[in-house]
Amino acid sequence: MRLRPVPWQRAMYSPTVTSQNPAPPSSSSARPVLIDTDPGVDDAMAILMALASPELDVVGLTTIFGNAATDVTTRNAFSLLETAGRTDIPVAVGRSNPIATDYLGPVPQVHGTDGLGNASLHAPQEQPVEADAATFIHDTVAASPGEVTVLTLGPVTNLADSITRFPDVVDLVDRVVVMGGNALVPGNATPTAEANINNDPEAADLVFGADWDITMVGLDVTQQVTLSGAAIERIMAHPSPTGTLLAKAIPLYRSFFEATNGIDGIYLHDPSTIAYLLDPAAFTTNPWPLRVETEGFSRGKTWPNLGDTDDASPPAWRDRPLVNVCTGVDAIQVAGLVEERLTR
Ligand code: RIB
Ligand code: CA
């Protein structure tokens, strides 16, 4: 894997509305990260965690459907940037539908009708950049070749769109980290599929088939990382804009896990990807070629080839690049890191 710190560099876009929040000074070794996201309560936690991490320089957000429709997740992206005082960070609007099908629809029972746990936030005033998400992803990585990490927290439709329209994006990116998929464990959207991949399996098969440095942070690890009820209480009580927002957003999400998983706590799906960027040693990965099922009742299932990766490989996996698939995690360490960053 090419996990290396890179010099700080701004993305080429700037917001179309004059910023109330000039960019704070950034560490010269902060790693530029573009986050593609469907906020989403756990997306909100991940983004606020990234913005609280001096090791990372968030150079833009691109939005996608998933937990809610794209217009809703875009509004939420701006709310999160306002909360963190980072309206200098550009937002680009992504696609409204998967590349080959229609959007499956929101999940208000998990993330609320507003996508943020029915937090009833005021409407943000900022406007997105003119470029769509796929163009923005390409142009951002092209402005700093080999330096930008692209992190996806929702369906990977925008990234697939970028590969299709701008094939050189594959060589320009430093690396890709995907929250999604399930290699050796059951799904959470269906018995076989994880929610982000299930929302656009065709896009995921394209993204996992591209020849770039890519890591899958899927249910194999994210369902091992639970933020306890006590830690949730501490985060929600923290006297900061982050604590105030999460105190409104987390309760519905928390009750979903209590009702469906019987736990007093929440799985840290999207925040685990930020932990992976900050502390990759807390994770174990396996280099496997991956296919994504696009047909039948296991549509959306990520299938690794655990066996031969040479010419003896079954045709469906032959010539596929290797994906770093996370299968192990120091769950205590990751949950502790998430709490520490959200209570800074
Ligand atoms: O399966 C978990 C993923 O689905 C997370 O990204 C969550 O936000 C939802 O999109
Ligand atoms: Ca998400």
Side-chain angles (χ1 to χ4, degrees):
M1 294 198 306
R2 293 175 288 137
L3 294 174
R4 60 180 188 276
V6 293
W8 177 83
Q9 205 163 353
R10 295 300 312 164
M12 64 182 291
Y13 283 102
S14 52
T16 53
V17 167
T18 306
S19 171
Q20 302 293 310
N21 305 112
S26 180
S27 152
S28 62
S29 62
R31 178 181 299 150
V33 181
L34 190 160
I35 303 178
D36 187 75
T37 178
D38 63 333
V41 177
D42 61 327
D43 301 71
M45 297 173 72
I47 290 165
L48 293 170
M49 184 183 171
L51 294 173
S53 297
E55 302 91 335
L56 305 177
D57 174 25
V58 179
V59 296
L61 300 182
T62 52
T63 58
I64 191 65
F65 61 86
N67 294 322
T70 304
D71 59 335
V72 176
T73 61
T74 302
R75 187 187 66 208
N76 292 344
F78 283 119
S79 294
L80 295 167
L81 294 177
E82 280 188 2
T83 298
R86 290 301 310 273
T87 52
D88 59 292
I89 295 174
V91 175
V93 180
R95 291 178 56 124
S96 299
N97 285 292
I99 58 175
T101 56
D102 290 331
Y103 171 38
L104 294 173
V107 282
Q109 70 279 19
V110 187
H111 294 273
T113 52
D114 64 354
L116 284 181
N118 297 331
S120 300
L121 304 177
H122 74 273
Q125 298 305 308
E126 292 78 17
Q127 296 296 317
V129 297
E130 277 182 25
D132 66 13
T135 305
F136 182 83
I137 291 169
H138 170 265
D139 292 355
T140 300
V141 299
S144 307
E147 295 186 352
V148 179
T149 295
V150 175
L151 173 67
T152 66
L153 304 178
V156 293
T157 313
N158 291 330
L159 201 46
D161 192 18
S162 201
I163 295 172
T164 306
R165 291 164 55 197
F166 312 103
D168 61 333
V169 73
V170 173
D171 296 321
L172 292 167
V173 80
D174 178 33
R175 62 183 180 157
V176 175
V177 177
V178 171
M179 192 284 126
N182 52 308
L184 307 176
V185 299
N188 62 353
T190 76
T192 59
E194 183 278 330
N196 288 339
I197 306 302
N198 190 52
N199 258 306
D200 197 344
E202 285 82 4
D205 198 46
L206 201 61
V207 165
F208 286 127
D211 191 12
W212 49 16
D213 181 338
I214 181 165
T215 299
M216 178 179 119
V217 183
L219 300 182
D220 302 80
V221 288
T222 65
Q223 292 192 153
Q224 294 185 46
V225 186
T226 302
L227 188 69
S228 69
I232 290 172
E233 296 294 341
R234 289 191 291 271
I235 289 169
M236 296 197 302
H238 192 253
S240 63
T242 289
T244 303
L245 182 141
L246 293 178
K248 295 177 189 163
I250 290 180
L252 177 84
Y253 192 62
R254 183 183 183 180
S255 9
F256 169 78
F257 281 98
E258 189 171 13
T260 57
N261 299 82
I263 59 171
D264 176 25
I266 59 176
Y267 291 150
L268 290 172
H269 297 299
D270 293 344
S272 291
T273 61
I274 308 299
Y276 176 76
L277 295 182
L278 297 173
D279 186 9
F283 294 79
T284 307
T285 62
N286 294 272
W288 290 325
L290 269 187
R291 291 307 307 260
V292 181
E293 178 61 67
T294 57
E295 305 285 341
F297 56 76
S298 63
R299 178 174 161 79
K301 163 70 182 147
T302 46
W303 286 114
N305 176 8
L306 310 179
D308 294 319
T309 54
D310 56 14
D311 286 348
S313 176
W317 286 268
R318 202 168 295 160
D319 299 326
R320 293 279 288 192
L322 299 175
V323 176
N324 303 307
V325 179
C326 291
T327 53
V329 61
D330 183 335
I332 303 290
Q333 187 156 325
V334 168
L337 181 57
V338 172
E339 179 179 354
E340 187 264 316
R341 294 303 162 107
L342 291 177
T343 51
R344 275 193 164 185

